[in-house]
């Protein structure tokens, strides 16, 4: 059995109740899964806690138990490469680990950039990639790059074992994910990118760190010829309730010659597709203005990484 | 013994702060101590229809619940007495205290606050200065005329205007009538939160009929006086002990949690701790006021400014604090440091149903100087001349006067500052090497020093070390930890490690004007210097009989008393203190400092709280920025400051202040933003209110200019406040240079910048 202790938290200002919950230290993956099963929906998994503890302190979430998985580093804190080039990122891998990983830097630099922009050094040191996607904030930085790389999420339960879900299906809504009460995420897998592919993640914030994205955009561009697009994938965050790929925009590009007009067309279509809101961070209007610019910026960055120069492509 | 003055001696309080040993207010624990929480108004304006605390009083652990019914029915204030301790029948701002609870634990007091039954009939708030000034606007203080105020200062109040001051020199209308061209600008300035690390907090005990207050506070005597007003007791019945302070920047000059903890301490007979949460601190902080400045210049055909109008409106919030004393700044700064011809100036401080505003580094001068400096760039561009050259051609020289009649004897230091910057960043080269969407700007100003009096006592200990007692704290600038320590060490020939400053205590120290407005090193430093000179004389007097000579032949250095005429003859300081103390008694010196009156023009400045301010210092700042075409974000690529300091007692300390002040100025210009909508703050946490980070601020290049002031201490002038005042305008103007259009508001948001770029593209 995992050791359990009561955890007592102060009420937030203006709230009456003191929060008391069970704090379960899982020592093994099986213990965490058993605890999830026996708690039957009473519990939340706690990884780095950089989202969950704040939500509890604000009274937004009130789980009766927390299952702390931070001890399961041997099982879950590794990044491993399979023989056929698939990259598996364990559920406890932190953003710091991701930005420091050579393979990720070389093959999925957009993900490394996104992880390097999550909060600051402290949040990156304890915050996990799995936590970022499970929290499913519309502004989560790592979701757009994971979407353009078609990441697969592996979840596990004591009752049914392992199950794979495409990230696109895993995130079902604003702060909503397709996971059962007794399941937890154990890893995230990325397929090797094809040849002649580059990616980019561009984030808008008012500061250089500690910024929840005002807007973010990830792109993966695969070229089929010197000026011909094989496939362009694009996903944005903080531009609507859920981060999604913009398939209409992607369709415009596939197999097409990359021209300034096409980029302009794609950028403005993307700007029309997004449904941003006004919030304290920025106005919807600003987001509508900035996203097409990020789109063009991402195309240019991908081309620069591929060493391709296309004449007539305007900078802004 | 190496010289102490002029050397970068590390600060005495550094290691304790870095290692976490320093005790702050939050660290205080007393036996039986209770924890307090405040019920605040959830709405910006309304009538209190029902307030029932019975249920809260029955809650577990609750020892006392107090409301307006439990405190004297008075209004208090720094200068104008308009502020009740608790809202009585009506609330005037969101966050206004309505009740306070003390309980055994913080959780219990918060739970009890949530259990208080409060019903407020909301009234549409007078949410901003336009609404407050509109014809027929609801009066926020219908009884304004009846409020008491400190004697000797004139506050012209009417309607929603807490204080109006206006003055004009003859010939303004004529100048505008004959002008070749008239340039007019209106600038809007947002609020700025001090964002100190340590939210406000206090521990108060009530014993033997007196209150003992422990707080990290900038101005313990002001706090003492405010408590006395609220509680209707003698100031001497309050003892304020200053704790180490986790930053203040003007935000901790007036009362915060103290009166509430005091009432609860008396009600319960127990020590009461009240620490604001960050959200609460932000909501109730006396932040830098929002302001609107309209400036209009009449130019002749050669581009000389032959007349100037300067109207500056400042948002007071619901109650008055220090800002009401700042009217005179509109007179001192309306011209900037340039020749303008006759001026017409007006200052208004306007009530709104918003959280009260107050001092923040560069109090009220930041919007005024920003407006002048932005306007100067606009004029230059309108005339098609270089903004730097235009400034140089019109900058005041030695022995020219500010509009209040105060003589600037040494304004030519400005030229020296421009020249020093030119050496490391030649203007033409800066302009030539700009890439697209990069911009450069330069600006200049004068700044003055807070004039309040100071006192200090230096006691020499038997082991040859010294303690300095004063009524002010080290706010974090090092003014005490480096400045005053250095002054005393140098005067007594001691190692600075053997000079200790004592935290302020109103029972122990004589009156002091607090750690504000760059006054500490100068005013407390001078008082301490006088005290140390007295100590030195007493040492020499005590040594003379032991050395069988006359005191006039003796000097004190390196821990020894030397005979000037007989260099071999010396006696250790500790020997004197051991032996001499029997004969002469313990050695203590006291000193004080009060400003000498500065000549001014009584015709314009009479009745102002501060008709003049001492020790003008001169400042030139230059910035280079790059605007991102994708996002509208601004990166400050280079920032250079040339600042006159009198004498750099501790160069490293001054560089630190320049770096910090510029960081806050850049933060105000680019990152921070405390917007008010319908009387409420939109930014309500440090997640939304974005203080700049180290990665957002360049390393500031600081050029320190020294023209020692005759009146000392060691020639030092006020230094720490002014590095903030030019930064917002210089950043604004550099962006103006980069994108070709002025934005005329601060903060400069990426939204506004991107929108301006779009406009430019479509034009
Ligand atoms: C100051 C600060 C700044 C931040 N800045 C950013 C930012 O710039 N960009 C950004 O995207 N985010 C930001 N965040 C949010 C947060 O740091 C990230 O989302 C982080 O990746 C969350 O990881 P965690 O391990 O801390 O998650 P936790 O808080 O432990 O968990 C988050 C959620 O995921 C669930 N969960 C965690 N692990 C699993 C699992 N293995 N299986 C099932 N469910 C699981 C939890 O139950 C919880 O609901 C910031 C947070 C803070 C405090």
């Amino acid at each position: 059995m995992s050791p359990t202790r009561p955890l007592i938290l102060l009420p937030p200002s203006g709230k009456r109740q003191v929060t008391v919950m069970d704090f379960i230290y899982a020592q093994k993956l099986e213990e965490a899964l058993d605890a999830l099963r026996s708690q039957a929906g009473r519990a939340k998994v706690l990884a780095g806690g950089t989202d969950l503890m704040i939500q509890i302190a604000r009274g937004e979430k009130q789980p009766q138990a927390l299952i702390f998985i931070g001890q399961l580093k041997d099982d879950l804190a590794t990044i491993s490469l399979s023989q056929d080039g698939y990259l598996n990122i364990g559920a406890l891998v932190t953003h710091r680990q991701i930005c420091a990983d050579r393979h990720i830097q070389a093959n999925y630099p957009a993900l490394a950039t996104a992880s390097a922009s999550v909060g600051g050094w402290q949040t990156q040191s304890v915050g996990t990639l799995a936590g970022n996607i499970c929290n499913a904030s519309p502004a989560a930085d790592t979701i757009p790059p994971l979407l353009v790389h078609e990441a697969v999420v592996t979840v596990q339960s004591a009752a049914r074992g392992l199950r794979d879900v495409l990230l696109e299906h895993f995130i079902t809504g604003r702060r909503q994910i397709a996971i059962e009460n007794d399941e937890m995420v154990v890893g995230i897998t990325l397929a090797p990118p094809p040849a002649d592919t580059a990616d980019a993640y561009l984030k808008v914030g008012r500061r250089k760190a500690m910024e929840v994205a005002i807007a973010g955009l990830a792109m993966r561009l695969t070229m089929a010829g010197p000026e011909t697009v094989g496939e362009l994938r694009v996903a944005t965050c903080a531009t609507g309730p859920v981060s999604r790929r913009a398939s209409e925009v992607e369709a415009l590009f596939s197999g097409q010659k990359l021209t300034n007009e096409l980029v302009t067309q794609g950028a403005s279509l993307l700007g029309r597709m997004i449904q941003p809101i006004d919030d304290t961070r920025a106005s919807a209007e600003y987001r509508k203005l900035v996203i097409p610019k990020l789109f063009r910026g991402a195309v240019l960055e991908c081309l620069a990484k591929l060493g391709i120069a296309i004449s007539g492509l305007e900078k802004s | 013994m190496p010289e102490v003055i002029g050397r970068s001696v590390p600060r005495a309080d550094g290691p304790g702060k870095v290692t976490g040993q320093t005790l702050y207010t939050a660290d205080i624990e007393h036996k039986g101590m209770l924890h307090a929480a405040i019920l605040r108004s959830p709405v910006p304006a309304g009538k209190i229809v029902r307030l029932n605390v019975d249920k809260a009083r029955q809650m577990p652990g609750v020892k006392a619940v107090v409301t307006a019914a439990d405190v004297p029915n008075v209004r208090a204030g720094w200068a104008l007495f308009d502020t009740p301790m608790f809202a009585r029948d009506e609330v005037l701002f969101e966050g206004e205290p309505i009740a306070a609870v003390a309980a055994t634990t913080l959780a219990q007091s918060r739970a009890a606050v949530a259990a208080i039954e409060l019903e407020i009939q909301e009234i549409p708030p007078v949410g901003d200065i336009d609404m407050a000034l509109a014809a027929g606007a609801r009066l926020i203080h219908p009884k304004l005329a009846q409020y008491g105020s400190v004697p000797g200062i004139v506050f012209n109040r009417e309607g929603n205007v807490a204080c109006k001051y206006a003055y004009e020199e003859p010939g303004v209308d004529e100048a505008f009538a004959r002008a070749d061209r008239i340039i007019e600008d209106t600038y809007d300035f947002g609020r700025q939160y001090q964002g100190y690390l340590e939210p406000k907090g206090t521990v108060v005990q009530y014993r033997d009929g007196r209150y003992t207050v422990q707080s990290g506070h900038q101005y313990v005597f002001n706090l003492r006086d405010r408590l006395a007003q609220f509680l209707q007791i003698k100031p001497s019945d309050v003892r304020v002990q200053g704790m180490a302070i986790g930053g203040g920047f003007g935000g901790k000059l007036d009362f915060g949690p103290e009166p509430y903890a005091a009432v609860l301490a008396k009600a319960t007979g127990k020590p009461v701790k009240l620490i604001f949460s960050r959200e609460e601190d932000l909501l109730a902080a006396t932040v830098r006021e929002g302001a609107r400045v309209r400036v209009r210049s009449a130019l002749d055909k050669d581009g000389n400014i032959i007349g100037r109008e300067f109207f500056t409106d400042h948002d007071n919030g619901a109650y008055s604090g220090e800002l009401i004393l700042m009217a005179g700044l509109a007179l001192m700064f309306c011209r900037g440091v340039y020749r303008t011809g006759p001026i017409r100036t007006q200052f208004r401080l306007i009530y709104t149903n918003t959280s009260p505003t107050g001092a923040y580094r560069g109090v009220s001068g930041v919007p005024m100087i920003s407006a002048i400096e932005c306007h100067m760039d606009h004029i230059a561009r309108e005339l098609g001349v270089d903004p730097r050259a235009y400034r140089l051609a019109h900058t005041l020289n030695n022995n020219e006067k500010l509009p209040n009649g105060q003589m600037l004897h040494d304004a030519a230091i400005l030229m020296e500052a421009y020249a020093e910057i030119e050496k490391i960043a030649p203007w033409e080269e800066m302009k030539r090497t700009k890439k697209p969407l990069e911009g450069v700007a330069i600006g200049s100003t004068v700044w003055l020093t807070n004039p309040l009096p100071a006192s200090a006592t230096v006691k020499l200990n038997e082991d040859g070390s010294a303690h300095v007692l004063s009524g002010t704290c080290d706010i974090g600038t090092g003014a005490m930890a480096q400045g005053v320590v250095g002054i005393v060490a140098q005067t007594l020939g001691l190692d600075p490690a053997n000079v200790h400053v004592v935290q302020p205590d109103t029972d122990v120290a004589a009156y002091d004007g607090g750690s504000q407005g760059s006054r500490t090193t100068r005013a407390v430093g001078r008082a301490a210097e006088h005290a140390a000179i007295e100590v030195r004389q007493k040492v020499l007097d005590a040594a003379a009989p032991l050395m069988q000579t006359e005191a006039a032949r003796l000097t004190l250095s390196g821990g020894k008393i030397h005979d000037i005429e007989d260099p071999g003859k010396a006696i250790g300081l500790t020997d004197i203190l051991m032996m001499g103390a029997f004969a002469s008694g313990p050695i203590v010196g006291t000193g004080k400092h009060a400003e000498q009156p500065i000549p001014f023009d009584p015709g314009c400045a009479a009745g102002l709280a501060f008709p003049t301010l001492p020790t003008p210092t001169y400042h030139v700042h230059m910035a280079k920025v790059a605007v991102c075409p994708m996002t509208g974000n601004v990166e400050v690529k280079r920032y250079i400051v040339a600042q006159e300091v009198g004498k750099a007692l501790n160069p490293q300390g001054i560089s630190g202040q320049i770096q910090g002040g510029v960081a806050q100025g850049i933060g105000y210009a680019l990152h921070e933003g405390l917007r008010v909508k319908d009387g409420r703050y939109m930014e309500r946490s440090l997640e939304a209110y974005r203080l700049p980070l180290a990665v957002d601020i360049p390393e500031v290049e600081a050029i320190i200019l020294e023209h020692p002031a005759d009146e000392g201490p060691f020639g030092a002038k006020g230094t720490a406040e002014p590095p903030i005042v030019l930064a917002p305008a210089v950043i604004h103007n550099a962006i103006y240079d980069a994108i070709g259009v002025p934005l005329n508001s601060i903060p400069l948001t990426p939204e506004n910048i991107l929108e301006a770029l779009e406009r430019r593209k479509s034009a």
Side-chain angles (χ1 to χ4, degrees):
Chain A
M1 261 304 285
S2 311
T4 301
R5 284 179 216 143
L7 178 74
I8 302 174
L9 292 174
L10 269 180
S13 311
K15 297 261 163 53
R16 286 175 75 156
Q17 64 287 50
V18 176
T19 319
V20 184
M21 59 194 91
D22 291 334
F23 196 86
I24 301 165
Y25 290 82
Q27 307 293 319
K28 292 204 188 81
L29 181 56
E30 296 72 46
E31 287 179 10
L33 296 172
D34 285 343
L36 270 172
R37 174 161 61 180
S38 61
Q39 292 288 332
R42 289 175 73 244
K44 295 268 339 161
V45 171
L46 178 70
T50 57
D51 278 314
L52 187 54
M53 293 313 288
I54 290 166
Q55 289 156 359
I56 292 172
R58 286 182 184 154
E60 292 164 8
K61 282 201 180 135
Q62 288 158 335
Q64 285 149 292
L66 292 176
I67 302 171
F68 180 54
I69 60 171
Q71 320 271 63
L72 313 181
K73 292 228 165 70
D74 288 351
D75 290 324
L76 299 178
T78 48
I79 302 175
S80 55
L81 193 59
S82 73
Q83 279 186 340
D84 46 1
Y86 282 76
L87 185 78
N88 184 267
I89 302 170
L92 277 178
V93 169
T94 63
H95 296 291
R96 273 282 112 205
Q97 275 175 280
I98 295 201
C99 13
D101 188 273
R102 290 277 162 79
H103 186 79
I104 293 176
Q105 286 168 2
N107 292 279
Y108 316 96
L111 178 61
T113 305
S115 275
S117 81
V118 171
W121 194 270
Q122 295 93 329
T123 45
Q124 290 160 20
S125 301
V126 291
T128 60
L129 184 67
N132 196 229
I133 64 169
C134 288
N135 187 56
S137 152
D141 282 305
T142 66
I143 292 176
L146 290 173
L147 283 173
V148 298
H149 286 290
E150 297 192 338
V152 171
V153 182
T154 305
V155 296
Q156 190 172 354
S157 62
R160 298 175 306 284
L162 295 165
R163 163 172 89 89
D164 283 346
V165 206
L166 208 58
L167 177 65
E168 185 134 17
H169 301 145
F170 183 73
I171 297 172
T172 54
R174 185 182 178 277
R175 297 193 179 281
Q176 277 163 358
I177 52 174
I179 196 164
E180 301 296 328
N181 280 341
D182 63 344
E183 286 178 328
M184 64 178 264
V185 172
V186 291
I188 294 144
T189 304
L190 296 171
D196 300 318
T197 296
D199 70 3
Y201 178 64
L202 298 175
K203 172 176 180 174
V204 183
R206 199 132 159 210
R207 302 188 286 205
K208 288 193 186 146
M210 298 303 276
E211 274 286 323
V212 179
I214 286 173
L217 179 144
M219 183 177 288
R220 189 175 104 164
L221 179 64
T222 305
M223 295 301 280
E227 298 201 351
T228 313
V229 178
E231 187 187 25
L232 181 147
R233 296 177 181 174
V234 61
T236 57
C237 65
T239 51
V242 198
S243 283
R244 282 280 176 256
R245 285 196 20 212
S247 35
E248 292 91 328
V249 176
E250 296 183 357
L252 279 181
F253 285 80
S254 104
Q256 299 298 311
K257 188 163 183 276
L258 193 60
T259 61
N260 192 52
E261 294 67 46
L262 187 62
V263 175
T264 306
Q265 203 188 337
S268 61
L269 177 59
L270 182 61
R272 289 196 302 275
M273 279 173 63
I274 56 169
Q275 299 166 319
I277 52 161
D278 282 319
D279 62 16
T280 51
R281 288 201 296 279
S283 64
E285 202 184 335
Y286 175 73
R287 292 180 162 112
K288 286 242 170 202
L289 200 55
V290 91
I291 281 287
K293 294 177 190 295
L294 295 188
F295 182 86
R296 178 177 293 274
V299 171
L300 291 168
E301 187 176 324
C302 289
L303 291 173
K305 284 178 181 166
L306 291 166
I308 295 175
I310 289 179
S311 60
L313 212 55
E314 287 165 15
K315 288 239 166 355
S316 59
Chain B
M1 187 83 200
E3 293 280 308
V4 180
I5 295 299
R7 198 154 56 86
S8 292
V9 180
R11 46 192 302 170
D13 58 346
K17 286 182 171 167
V18 173
T19 58
Q21 290 176 44
T22 303
L23 287 185
Y24 292 91
T25 309
D27 298 316
I28 298 171
E29 293 292 339
H30 291 301
K31 198 166 183 301
M33 188 175 79
L34 303 175
H35 297 266
I38 293 184
L39 172 69
R40 295 176 178 277
S41 172
V43 301
K47 299 244 173 299
I48 299 178
V49 186
R50 205 167 81 88
L51 175 63
N52 188 334
V53 298
D54 294 348
K55 219 174 272 169
R57 285 204 168 109
Q58 304 310 316
M59 298 275 288
V62 172
K63 303 293 179 208
V65 182
V66 292
T67 68
D70 305 290
V71 300
N73 188 2
V74 292
R75 287 177 186 264
W78 191 321
L80 179 66
F81 310 151
D82 61 3
T83 314
M85 192 170 145
F86 288 109
R88 199 162 280 270
D89 307 312
E90 50 170 4
V91 292
L92 300 194
F93 72 95
E94 186 198 9
E96 181 166 9
I98 293 173
V101 176
T104 309
T105 68
L106 180 56
Q108 288 167 336
S109 61
R110 285 200 183 155
V113 162
I116 294 173
E117 293 165 25
L118 170 69
E119 212 179 295
I120 294 181
Q121 189 192 335
E122 268 195 82
I123 302 172
V126 178
D128 56 41
I129 56 180
D130 289 326
M131 291 174 77
L133 293 173
R138 181 169 60 77
L139 294 186
I140 294 174
H141 289 274
K143 295 189 181 146
L144 178 59
Q146 293 159 35
Y147 295 156
S149 66
V150 290
I153 310 173
V154 181
F155 300 114
N156 290 314
R157 29 185 150 144
E158 193 179 16
N160 282 323
V161 177
C163 171
K164 175 177 162 176
Y165 165 77
Y167 174 72
E168 72 175 272
E169 293 170 345
V172 177
D173 288 332
E174 292 84 333
F176 277 91
R178 70 182 165 92
D180 186 59
R181 81 174 86 199
I182 293 170
I183 294 177
E184 174 170 348
D185 285 299
T186 300
Y187 297 98
D188 281 300
F189 298 91
R191 294 184 174 209
Q192 187 183 19
Y193 174 46
Q194 291 86 352
Y196 31 67
L197 276 176
E198 179 200 28
K200 288 176 193 168
T202 191
V203 177
V204 181
Q205 302 176 70
Y206 180 76
R207 203 173 277 137
D208 304 324
R210 298 187 76 218
Y211 297 88
T212 301
V213 180
Q214 294 172 292
S215 285
H217 201 271
Q218 289 180 248
Y219 189 180
V220 290
F221 287 92
N222 195 34
L223 178 57
R224 177 198 68 177
D225 294 351
R226 202 64 10 81
L227 280 160
Q229 284 176 319
F230 276 127
L231 303 172
Q232 294 289 293
I233 55 177
K234 296 203 301 277
S236 57
D237 284 341
V238 180
R239 175 182 192 181
V240 181
Q241 295 179 311
M243 298 292 294
I245 181 167
F249 309 107
K252 294 177 183 168
L253 287 163
D254 207 338
F255 78 99
E258 295 84 2
Y260 309 97
V263 172
L264 290 168
K266 187 175 181 191
T268 59
K270 299 272 201 249
V272 172
K273 183 188 256 186
L274 175 53
I275 310 274
F276 288 172
S277 70
R278 179 60 74 178
E279 287 70 23
E280 192 177 17
D281 196 89
L282 175 55
L283 193 62
T286 46
V287 300
R288 182 191 308 290
E289 77 278 23
R292 176 173 302 150
V293 187
R294 191 164 71 83
V295 48
R296 199 164 162 252
S297 297
L299 306 181
D300 69 11
K301 63 178 190 340
D302 302 320
N304 297 307
I305 304 169
I306 53 170
R308 158 76 49 85
E309 279 185 341
F310 184 82
F311 295 103
T312 183
D313 285 336
H314 298 246
D315 184 349
N316 200 21
Y319 299 109
S320 305
E322 186 181 6
L323 299 189
I324 200 157
L325 299 169
M326 295 301 140
L329 297 185
L331 190 54
M332 288 177 223
F333 293 136
C334 63
R335 191 170 273 163
V337 285
Y338 311 100
R339 288 177 211 108
T340 64
I343 53 96
R344 172 181 290 142
T345 187
Q346 176 183 288
F347 169 91
R348 287 187 297 186
L349 184 64
I350 298 150
Y351 285 117
T352 56
N353 281 125
T354 62
S355 192
T357 56
Y360 182 147
R361 197 174 191 168
V363 56
S364 294
V366 166
M368 298 183 198
I369 289 169
S370 297
I372 295 292
E373 286 301 313
C374 292
H375 183 63
M376 286 299 283
D377 265 47
H378 185 193
I379 294 175
R381 276 165 209 277
E382 196 83 17
L383 294 172
V385 299
D386 175 78
R388 178 177 182 272
Y390 185 72
R391 282 184 171 79
L392 290 180
H394 298 93
T395 298
L396 299 177
N397 210 330
N398 285 350
N399 300 321
E400 292 194 71
K401 283 181 179 172
L402 290 177
N404 61 346
Q406 181 172 357
M407 182 77 88
L408 298 179
H409 297 285
D410 47 7
I413 293 172
L414 285 165
M415 289 300 164
E416 187 189 331
Y418 277 106
E420 288 299 318
I421 289 185
E422 188 66 10
K423 283 185 196 158
I424 62 166
W427 180 248
E428 289 304 324
E429 191 184 309
M430 294 287 285
K431 289 207 297 190
R432 208 177 47 242
T433 54
K434 279 186 315 188
K435 299 196 193 84
L437 288 183
E438 287 186 344
V440 293
I442 196 162
S444 59
T445 196
V446 61
W447 189 253
L448 302 123
T449 307
N450 180 295
L452 294 175
S455 74
T457 299
V458 173
K459 84 180 170 85
L460 203 53
N461 301 310
E462 296 69 50
D463 61 0
S465 66
H467 274 88
V468 187
L469 277 62
S470 85
T472 199
C473 71
D474 193 303
I475 176 69
T477 56
M480 298 298 290
Q482 291 173 313
V484 171
V485 163
I487 289 162
V488 172
Q490 179 80 36
T491 307
L492 295 179
L494 297 178
D495 183 336
N498 282 329
V499 178
H500 310 284
V501 290
V502 177
Q503 291 289 14
D505 184 331
T506 58
D507 267 14
V508 175
Y511 187 85
D512 182 89
S515 187
Q516 57 169 329
S518 291
R519 67 176 284 283
T520 309
T521 303
R522 186 181 127 75
V524 183
R526 286 180 73 182
E529 186 186 9
H530 294 316
I533 290 170
E534 186 184 325
V535 163
R536 187 174 63 198
Q537 192 56 51
K538 286 181 176 171
V539 168
L540 301 182
D541 289 343
L546 295 170
M547 294 173 80
Q548 302 197 335
T549 182
E550 276 157 26
R553 281 177 48 159
L554 300 176
T555 58
L556 172 60
S557 72
K560 285 201 169 74
I561 294 95
H562 306 268
D563 187 335
I564 307 167
E565 285 161 41
D566 185 359
K569 205 158 135 197
I571 185 168
L573 176 60
T574 45
D575 298 331
I576 300 290
L577 292 168
M578 299 300 223
M579 294 181 283
F582 282 102
S584 64
I587 293 180
V588 179
T590 61
K592 66 183 169 63
H593 165 74
E595 291 302 334
Q596 296 307 307
I598 300 164
F600 66 98
D601 176 358
C604 60
L608 286 169
F610 300 117
T612 64
L613 289 169
T615 48
T617 56
Y618 302 94
H619 309 261
V620 177
H621 287 205
M622 181 197 266
K624 177 177 178 181
V625 303
V627 174
C628 172
M630 240 187 329
T631 62
N633 280 347
V634 175
E635 172 156 2
V636 183
K637 308 281 264 188
R638 205 171 167 193
Y639 203 99
I640 308 169
V641 172
Q643 176 169 341
E644 157 62 8
V645 303
K647 166 81 186 162
L649 302 187
N650 186 314
Q652 190 186 47
I654 289 179
S655 299
Q657 288 307 302
I658 291 175
Q659 176 74 38
V662 170
Q664 289 176 316
I666 293 175
Y668 183 44
L670 297 178
H671 309 96
E672 302 173 45
L674 188 56
R675 291 169 297 171
V676 180
K677 189 163 177 248
D678 303 325
R680 297 173 192 267
Y681 286 143
M682 291 176 74
E683 282 76 18
R684 306 178 71 89
S685 69
L686 288 187
E687 185 185 336
Y689 186 80
R690 285 166 284 197
L691 292 159
L693 307 170
V695 288
D696 297 305
I697 305 291
E699 191 165 328
V700 176
E701 299 163 62
I703 301 166
I704 296 174
L705 307 176
E706 295 186 308
H707 298 86
D710 294 341
E711 72 270 24
F714 295 95
K717 299 177 187 169
T719 299
E721 184 176 28
I724 197 173
V725 299
L726 278 172
V730 171
I731 298 294
H732 172 277
N733 290 340
I735 295 170
Y736 184 0
D737 185 44
I739 68 175
V741 283
L743 290 165
N744 288 15
S745 64
I746 281 172
L748 299 140
T749 65
E751 275 103 324
N752 294 348
I753 294 171
L754 205 58
E755 196 205 356
L757 283 174
E758 289 293 303
R759 261 189 284 130
R760 194 183 68 161
K761 224 189 324 182
S762 52

